[in-house]
């Protein structure tokens, strides 16, 4: 399987909007996702949802609203995070999970699994931000080392999307991943090559 061409693998590209950066105190407000199959983005498998506020966890939007523009009123029509997470793990445990800044989103997902007593599937993960950080020369000016999603996308000639909307960021990350693979890893790279290129060092 590891020698198979990368495009034979299914990817699940996920982005989360959060109340903060500390998974032990913060909460997940929304998720956006899109799949990559056959080396192409499958918009028919894209999705977005807001998560209903929990009376027990005190997961108010609070000061984070100025970033993602999500309000507690909007979340009243959302879904339960526990149910969404259980279904996502069931459907995507064997996929390659892709994030732009995997440590942050993975920490929140793992913490949510702990809170809801769900088993964390330990998925294989690719991080487009970490890949970009490693490939940049160390002597470039600090401004060029900007690793935000839109800054990374601009280096591959990709258009700027609205930031801090989970679906928009998931789609942007999927496009960035394909641009990185095709221009830096190689269109005929194996799955082993891909995992080696994106592994954490």
């Amino acid at each position: 399987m590891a020698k198979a061409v990368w495009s034979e693998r299914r990817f699940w590209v996920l982005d989360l909007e959060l109340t903060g950066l500390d998974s032990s105190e913060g909460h997940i407000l929304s998720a956006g996702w899109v799949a990559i199959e056959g080396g192409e983005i499958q918009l028919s498998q894209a999705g977005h949802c807001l998560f209903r506020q929990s009376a027990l966890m005190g997961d108010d939007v609070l000061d984070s609203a100025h970033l993602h523009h999500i309000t507690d009123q909007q979340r009243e029509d959302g879904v339960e995070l526990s149910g969404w997470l259980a279904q996502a793990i069931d459907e995507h445990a064997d996929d390659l999970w892709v994030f732009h800044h995997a440590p942050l989103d993975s920490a929140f997902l793992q913490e949510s699994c702990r809170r809801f007593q769900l088993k964390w599937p330990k998925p294989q993960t690719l991080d487009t931000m970490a890949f970009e950080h490693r490939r940049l020369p160390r002597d470039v000016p600090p401004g060029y080392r900007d690793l935000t999603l839109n800054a990374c996308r601009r280096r591959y000639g990709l258009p700027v999307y609205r930031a801090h909307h989970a679906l928009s960021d998931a789609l942007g990350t999927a496009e960035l991943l394909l641009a990185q693979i095709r221009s830096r890893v190689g269109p005929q790279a194996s799955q082993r090559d891909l995992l080696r290129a994106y592994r954490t060092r």
Side-chain angles (χ1 to χ4, degrees), residues 16-28:
L16 306 174
E17 294 304 320
L18 311 164
T19 57
L21 301 178
D22 185 347
S23 61
S24 66
E25 298 181 352
H27 298 274
I28 301 173

Side-chain angles (χ1 to χ4, degrees), residues 31-139:
W33 62 92
V34 63
I36 298 175
E37 287 187 338
E40 296 182 354
I41 295 171
Q42 305 296 320
L43 291 178
S44 62
Q45 300 177 44
H48 174 262
C49 64
L50 296 171
F51 299 116
R52 193 174 300 152
Q53 189 175 11
S54 168
L56 296 177
M57 294 185 179
D59 52 343
D60 299 340
V61 167
L62 298 176
D63 295 337
S64 62
H66 74 283
L67 285 175
H68 44 64
H69 304 293
I70 297 171
T71 66
D72 289 329
Q73 288 72 29
Q74 290 174 314
R75 297 173 64 205
E76 291 176 359
D77 295 325
V79 302
E80 295 290 346
L81 174 59
S82 58
W84 176 85
L85 187 56
Q87 182 176 351
I89 290 172
D90 183 58
E91 293 180 359
H92 300 288
D94 295 329
D95 293 344
L96 259 175
W97 293 21
V98 183
F99 304 93
H100 191 73
H101 196 9
L104 178 64
D105 288 345
S106 292
F108 274 82
L109 291 170
Q110 289 184 64
E111 175 61 21
S112 295
C113 282
R114 187 192 67 77
R115 290 172 181 170
F116 299 128
Q117 299 183 329
L118 298 171
K119 183 178 180 181
W120 175 240
K122 298 181 180 178
Q124 290 183 306
T125 301
L126 305 183
D127 186 340
T128 53
M129 176 188 282
F131 179 90
E132 198 67 11
H133 181 256
R134 286 197 299 272
R135 84 167 190 87
L136 289 176
R138 295 182 181 277
D139 57 349

